[in-house]
């Protein structure tokens, strides 16, 4: 194959389908549908600055149409694309309280469910900070002749069939994995296609950055405060965007450690296990990194009990996660915590 040739997301996904002897094309189609939804969301996100000209979200614009909040818009587009595809039997979104079962199309029962956070970091959007869509795909566990059930969504991260994110930044990039490495595709706006730009992404073993909302320092447990002091002593650089997709994207490429520990306000952590932590943990592990909770449990092994369950997370370069783990174990032993 000519290695200089542009490879589109569709071509790449189809070429990878043959890696799975049992593949029937449904997962391939699902990933392509997510790519299409991402392009639609990207179009709106890139017009976000025009909202002040065209109307403010929640109000009417010049033409008298309602202007939707972008996270609501992104949610609706993802649900529409996935529902019409017929390749998944239901979705669970960070924006909805319950999962949404889809009716079977032409009596065909789909074997996947999709979990997503349609526009993570959306509180940053009006100041032009990069936001993203995070998704995870599971094989359903329930009887395929009936509608999907809660248990189809409450699966461990280890059971993910695929996961990824789309970052709407200076360029729009989709990064995903089906459990055989991680690849990134940059949207070329001139042709409207995601093109393979980052092949077989490997996270550096260490990085120069630590990423945590240090404003909550006094609200963290003591061993976490000491670990953050240690990062500062090492002269690591603090980078925290407050948009998980952006912070993880940097961590994946430059290396480093991202932490969202428990605080007094969020005793179990703030980020959602199913919508944020698991897909990111799956991707980062596939890229050679690690992801654990502040209780030092592997994120992908946590057994979810509810759709919107929160979790703590420490994720990033493998050597830095191991070091943090040893640091916390040593500190807890010495201080008798
Ligand atoms: P929003 O989607 O409400 O902006 O929240 C973003 C987020 O879920 C995640 O993307 C960030 O890493 C994290 O919350 C930021 O939380 P803090 O503002 O508490 O640091």
């Amino acid at each position: 194959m000519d290695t200089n040739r542009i490879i589109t997301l569709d071509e790449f996904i189809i070429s990878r389908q043959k890696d799975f002897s049992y593949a029937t094309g449904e997962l391939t189609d699902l990933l392509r549908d997510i790519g299409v939804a991402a392009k639609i969301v990207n179009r709106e996100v890139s017009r976000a600055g025009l909202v002040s000209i065209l109307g403010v979200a929640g109000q009417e614009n010049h033409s008298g149409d309602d202007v939707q909040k972008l996270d609501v818009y992104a949610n609706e587009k993802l649900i529409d694309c996935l529902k019409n595809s017929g390749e998944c039997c239901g979705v669970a979104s960070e924006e909805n309280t319950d999962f949404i079962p889809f009716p079977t199309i032409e009596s065909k029962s789909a074997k996947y469910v999709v979990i997503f956070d349609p526009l993570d970091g959306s509180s940053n959007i009006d100041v032009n900070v990069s936001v993203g869509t995070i998704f995870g795909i599971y094989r359903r566990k329930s009887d395929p002749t009936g509608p999907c059930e809660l248990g189809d969504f409450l699966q461990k991260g280890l059971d993910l069939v695929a996961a990824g994110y789309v970052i709407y930044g200076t360029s729009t990039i989709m990064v995903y994995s089906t459990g055989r490495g991680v690849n990134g595709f940059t949207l070329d706006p001139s042709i409207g296609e995601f093109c393979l730009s980052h092949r077989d992404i490997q996270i550096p073993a260490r990085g120069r950055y630590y990423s945590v909302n240090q404003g909550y320092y006094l609200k963290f447990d003591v061993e976490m405060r000491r670990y953050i002091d240690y990062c500062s002593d090492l002269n690591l650089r603090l980078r925290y965007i407050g948009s998980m997709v952006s912070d993880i994207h940097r961590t994946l490429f430059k290396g480093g450690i991202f932490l969202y520990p428990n605080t007094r306000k969020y005793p179990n952590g703030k980020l959602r296990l199913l919508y944020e932590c698991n897909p990111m943990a799956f991707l980062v592990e596939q890229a050679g990194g690690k992801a654990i909770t502040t209780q030092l449990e592997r994120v992908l092994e946590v057994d979810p009990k509810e759709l919107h369950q929160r979790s703590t997370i420490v994720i990033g370069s493998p050597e830095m996660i191991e070091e943090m783990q040893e640091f916390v174990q040593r500190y807890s032993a010495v201080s008798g915590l």
Side-chain angles (χ1 to χ4, degrees):
M1 188 192 282
D2 174 3
T3 46
N4 291 323
R5 197 175 76 78
I6 288 175
I7 299 173
T8 67
L9 177 65
D10 284 7
E11 285 174 322
F12 185 86
I13 293 172
I14 292 166
S15 73
R16 283 295 167 102
Q17 189 184 320
K18 62 179 177 348
D19 289 351
F20 301 92
S21 52
Y22 55 84
T24 55
E26 286 171 71
L27 180 61
T28 302
D29 288 347
L30 255 186
L31 287 163
R32 289 164 70 183
D33 293 337
I34 292 171
V36 170
K39 284 190 224 172
I40 298 171
V41 174
N42 176 64
R43 191 185 60 200
E44 289 308 299
V45 169
S46 57
R47 292 172 69 239
L50 293 170
V51 165
S52 54
I53 301 168
L54 302 173
V56 177
Q59 295 181 352
E60 286 185 354
N61 65 13
H62 289 309
S63 336
D65 300 324
D66 278 342
V67 179
Q68 281 182 317
K69 286 182 72 184
L70 274 172
D71 42 8
V72 177
Y73 178 87
N75 195 37
E76 283 178 6
K77 287 299 152 207
L78 270 152
I79 295 172
D80 282 354
C81 282
L82 293 168
K83 190 178 196 170
N84 295 331
S85 78
E87 306 299 347
C88 86
C89 59
V91 296
S93 163
E94 209 251 356
E95 290 285 325
N96 297 88
T97 313
D98 286 320
F99 67 93
I100 304 168
F102 292 157
T104 53
I105 293 181
E106 293 161 4
S107 64
K108 186 176 127 203
S109 44
K111 59 173 183 259
Y112 295 105
V113 294
V114 182
I115 288 184
F116 56 82
D117 183 349
L119 211 56
D120 186 64
S122 54
S123 61
N124 295 299
I125 205 159
D126 49 351
V127 286
N128 224 0
V129 167
S130 302
V131 293
T133 299
I134 308 173
F135 63 90
I137 302 175
Y138 288 96
R139 201 168 283 118
R140 73 182 294 181
K141 286 161 63 184
S142 58
D143 177 358
T145 57
C148 62
E149 296 168 6
L150 180 61
D152 295 323
F153 299 91
L154 296 185
Q155 300 195 48
K156 290 183 184 178
L158 276 180
D159 298 325
L160 277 163
V161 173
Y165 65 78
V166 182
I167 180 166
Y168 309 103
T170 36
S171 24
T172 296
I173 302 180
M174 178 165 168
V175 175
Y176 84 93
S177 172
T178 51
R180 304 210 173 178
V182 182
N183 292 283
F185 301 80
T186 303
L187 183 64
D188 180 343
S190 65
I191 56 170
E193 292 283 357
F194 282 103
C195 301
L196 180 61
S197 49
H198 304 83
R199 198 187 273 273
D200 197 16
I201 299 165
Q202 291 292 319
I203 191 168
R206 306 188 69 84
R208 286 182 298 172
Y209 303 110
Y210 73 110
S211 185
V212 62
N213 189 336
Q214 201 143 345
Y216 301 148
Y217 180 83
L218 293 175
K219 313 208 168 50
F220 294 147
D221 293 340
V222 61
E223 70 274 20
M224 208 41 64
R225 296 206 295 265
R226 293 294 88 85
Y227 175 72
I228 289 168
D229 295 343
Y230 170 72
C231 291
S232 170
D233 283 347
L234 288 178
N235 284 329
L236 293 182
R237 296 164 190 182
L238 173 62
R239 295 282 186 279
Y240 187 72
I241 299 170
S243 167
M244 190 193 195
V245 178
S246 310
D247 281 314
I248 296 296
H249 190 69
R250 180 198 56 251
T251 306
L252 200 54
F253 285 90
K254 303 253 187 218
I257 185 164
F258 171 91
L259 308 100
Y260 205 112
N262 47 298
T263 59
R264 274 180 231 146
K265 184 173 173 194
Y266 295 111
N268 300 317
K270 177 192 172 193
L271 301 179
R272 313 290 173 144
L273 175 63
L274 297 186
Y275 308 103
E276 295 167 304
C277 299
N278 272 340
M280 290 307 198
F282 180 84
L283 268 185
V284 166
E285 284 203 5
Q286 278 296 315
K290 293 196 167 190
I292 57 175
T293 67
T294 52
Q295 288 72 43
L296 311 183
E297 188 179 4
R298 186 179 173 203
V299 170
L300 296 181
E301 287 178 11
V302 177
D303 202 1
K305 301 286 179 242
E306 49 184 87
L307 280 180
H308 293 274
Q309 185 167 326
R310 295 178 192 271
S311 172
T312 56
I313 189 164
V314 184
I315 181 168
S317 292
E319 290 181 10
M320 296 174 84
I321 303 296
E322 282 158 20
E323 199 171 79
M324 175 270 173
Q325 193 162 354
E326 282 162 23
F327 185 98
V328 168
Q329 279 163 342
R330 218 172 32 240
Y331 187 85
S332 307
V334 169
S335 61
L337 285 171

